Amino acid sequence: MVNSICFLGPIGSFSHQAATMITGEKELIPKGTITDVFNSINDKECHEGLVPIENSLEGPVNETLDNLFYKNLFINLEIEVPINLVLASKNDKFNIVYSHPHAIQECRDYIVRKSLDKVIPVESTSRAAELASVDPNAAAICSEMAARIYNLRILDRNIEDNVNITRFFLISRKETKEGNKSSLIFTVPHTSGSLYHVLGKFYEEKINLSMIYSRPLKSIPWRYYFYVEYEGNKNERLLEKLREVTTSLSFKGSYSKFLNNNSGF
Amino acid sequence: MVNSICFLGPIGSFSHQAATMITGEKELIPKGTITDVFNSINDKECHEGLVPIENSLEGPVNETLDNLFYKNLFINLEIEVPINLVLASKNDKFNIVYSHPHAIQECRDYIVRKSLDKVIPVESTSRAAELASVDPNAAAICSEMAARIYNLRILDRNIEDNVNITRFFLISRKETKEGNKSSLIFTVPHTSGSLYHVLGKFYEEKINLSMIYSRPLKSIPWRYYFYVEYEGNKNERLLEKLREVTTSLSFKGSYSKFLNNNSGF
């Protein structure tokens, strides 16, 4: 293990694209699921992992939130990647288009405008690119990176209907305590006003919350844990105040946003 | 349209099961997606619709929340359905098992214990039952209702690993103002403590929140709307107070839980 990063695969996925943005000399290892990425870090197979946390249209990535809740790992860096999709193929002429159901959804206007009527859903946009690379009658809706990996010609760029950004996290076993933002996960007592009292502690300390998501506790139906991101570093005084009004509290790391001149890849 | 209910299909789905629990003489119409159910009510093709809102393990059903946010429809009734899965087939001997990926996930321990090693994911548990009805070498992991519809023999019941309950909503164009619970959707100003101030109004009025979920506003990245359920009827004083601290506010109906003696179906 020489400073390796595992990511949510396959090769050519948007997680792969995010990993290459920060990678330097590190070894990149694709994994089949988000949970596999977390397990690889826990088991010390990998040093760090790259997983999606939230999409600007679809919302949170539940598998990432649940792994952050159940595992003692930390967020070290945030990377925003615009989800730009391309239409790509071996030939100019094709009669089938492969893509992932989400990508098909996101290009619905384009598909109607271009009268692409035979659109086949497959398990990933990378798989779509792979299929188009071996079928001369097929095209793929995929990332520019996947099109390049499978030697496809790009026929059209930015074919998605809306601005669509995914945030990724670089995670590891190392707790980082400084950055523009920090993440916490907590549960609250089953009493009236419990979440209100927790948010009151942030307000007292003049700390801005940038996001709050709730997720079910799998052990008890209709009970929840909360994931929040706030502006600023790890703050011991805030944590001490929050301990008074929560039933469990985990600090999940402070981190800044990775800046890249060519974020469009 | 004689009092028809549309539901998230296909025939034999858990939404179908929930619909049959309350149906009486009403006509039941399967729809391909949750959005299709909402559109059918909006377009007055159907009187009412039956959609899943939340699962005790997986969390909220985003497509339902987003449709509640974007469309002027109301919740009239809540139905809880335990997600009990069965193993069913035409014959005692089989070498393939079909099911939906979520159902496979939920029966992972059972699959290992019974050494079912050839498990094939398909698009729904109903489709799995249909496949098992025409292939004498196949079994399905599906609902008991789907097994009955496709004339399969039930080999094992309650094969899921964990308690797993899905809540469904009956929705319509009619606003109902009384029930054990009510739902609201709101957005807050982009200022410090804005959600805290909203929750404060519930606390002042001694109204218990039973759930809060946030979802992205598709129009502006990293801004959110909030969906909450609270205990009690429509409350005009609460709504008036909330209007002072929200940027938009929609009342989505008051409703009670449908009670059924044989909730296991």
Side-chain angles (χ1 to χ4, degrees), chain B residues 78-142:
Chain B
E78 177 185 10
I79 305 122
E80 277 194 8
V81 179
I83 304 301
N84 296 326
L85 293 163
V86 304
L87 181 73
S89 65
K90 281 284 184 192
N91 298 305
D92 278 347
K93 287 198 175 168
F94 54 85
N95 50 32
I96 298 177
V97 180
Y98 293 107
S99 196
H100 184 269
H102 284 177
I104 295 170
Q105 181 82 16
E106 282 157 24
C107 301
R108 192 173 279 180
D109 288 353
Y110 178 86
I111 288 168
V112 170
R113 208 162 60 239
K114 296 284 179 175
S115 307
L116 308 176
D117 41 39
K118 205 165 171 194
V119 182
I120 314 277
V122 292
E123 63 266 38
S124 68
T125 51
S126 304
R127 174 74 180 140
E130 189 184 1
L131 288 168
S133 73
V134 293
D135 180 349
N137 293 314
I141 291 174
C142 59

Side-chain angles (χ1 to χ4, degrees), chain A residues 54 58 192 212 214-215 224, chain B residues 54 58 212 214-215 224:
Chain A
E54 188 186 20
E58 299 302 321
S192 181
I212 180 166
S214 60
R215 289 281 306 146
Y224 304 90
Chain B
E54 188 186 20
E58 299 302 322
I212 179 166
S214 61
R215 290 280 307 146
Y224 305 90

Side-chain angles (χ1 to χ4, degrees), chain A:
Chain A
M1 190 184 75
V2 206
N3 231 2
S4 60
I5 301 183
C6 51
F7 63 92
L8 175 62
I11 297 288
S13 69
F14 285 98
S15 292
H16 188 192
Q17 183 170 323
T20 61
M21 283 166 70
I22 56 161
T23 185
E25 293 300 300
K26 291 170 187 174
E27 192 191 347
L28 294 180
I29 304 168
K31 293 286 169 186
T33 67
I34 288 169
T35 301
D36 291 343
V37 172
F38 276 84
N39 288 339
S40 302
I41 306 169
N42 244 349
D43 302 346
K44 304 191 181 178
E45 180 200 337
C46 290
H47 191 77
E48 296 167 304
L50 209 295
V51 290
I53 173 70
E54 188 186 20
N55 176 270
S56 61
L57 298 178
E58 299 302 321
V61 179
N62 296 335
E63 194 177 348
T64 297
L65 290 178
D66 287 351
N67 272 286
L68 284 170
F69 178 61
Y70 288 106
K71 296 197 174 84
N72 193 28
L73 295 173
F74 299 93
I75 305 155
N76 303 144
L77 188 68
E78 177 185 10
I79 306 122
E80 277 194 9
V81 179
I83 304 301
N84 296 326
L85 293 163
V86 304
L87 181 74
S89 67
K90 280 284 183 192
N91 298 305
D92 278 347
K93 289 199 175 166
F94 54 85
N95 51 31
I96 299 176
V97 180
Y98 292 109
S99 196
H100 185 270
H102 283 177
I104 295 169
Q105 181 84 15
E106 282 158 23
C107 301
R108 190 172 279 181
D109 289 352
Y110 178 86
I111 287 168
V112 170
R113 208 163 59 237
K114 295 284 179 176
S115 307
L116 308 175
D117 42 39
K118 206 165 170 194
V119 182
I120 315 277
V122 293
E123 64 265 39
S124 68
T125 51
S126 305
R127 175 74 180 139
E130 190 183 1
L131 288 167
S133 73
V134 293
D135 180 349
N137 294 315
I141 291 173
C142 59
S143 70
E144 184 160 341
M145 188 181 192
R148 286 185 197 171
I149 288 170
Y150 290 103
N151 284 313
L152 302 179
R153 285 182 49 208
I154 293 173
L155 307 176
D156 247 334
R157 278 191 171 78
N158 300 336
I159 66 171
E160 65 279 359
D161 301 332
N162 295 295
V163 174
N164 183 357
I165 305 165
T166 298
R167 298 167 59 222
F168 293 85
F169 279 157
L170 186 73
I171 51 168
S172 79
R173 294 182 300 279
K174 192 182 83 188
E175 183 185 302
T176 40
K177 299 181 183 181
E178 293 188 359
N180 299 334
K181 282 203 287 188
S182 298
S183 291
L184 296 174
I185 292 180
F186 58 84
T187 55
V188 296
H190 199 52
T191 53
S192 181
S194 57
L195 180 61
Y196 171 64
H197 295 310
V198 171
L199 299 190
K201 301 301 177 186
F202 288 90
Y203 192 68
E204 271 174 43
E205 295 294 312
K206 297 188 172 47
I207 291 172
N208 285 332
L209 283 182
S210 51
M211 171 225 272
I212 180 166
Y213 278 121
S214 60
R215 289 281 306 146
L217 288 177
K218 294 178 196 293
S219 47
I220 315 168
W222 322 132
R223 297 282 293 276
Y224 304 90
Y225 73 82
F226 295 91
Y227 170 87
V228 299
E229 296 181 4
Y230 66 84
E231 293 171 9
N233 296 329
K234 184 171 184 181
N235 180 325
E236 293 296 349
R237 200 168 75 175
L238 172 72
L239 291 176
E240 205 160 301
K241 287 190 164 192
L242 289 176
R243 272 187 209 104
E244 294 164 15
V245 288
T246 54
T247 43
S248 73
L249 177 69
S250 300
F251 175 75
K252 301 306 294 183
S254 298
Y255 46 89
S256 294
K257 197 179 286 183
F258 177 79
L259 294 174
N260 188 43
N261 292 333
N262 179 15
S263 62
F265 193 79

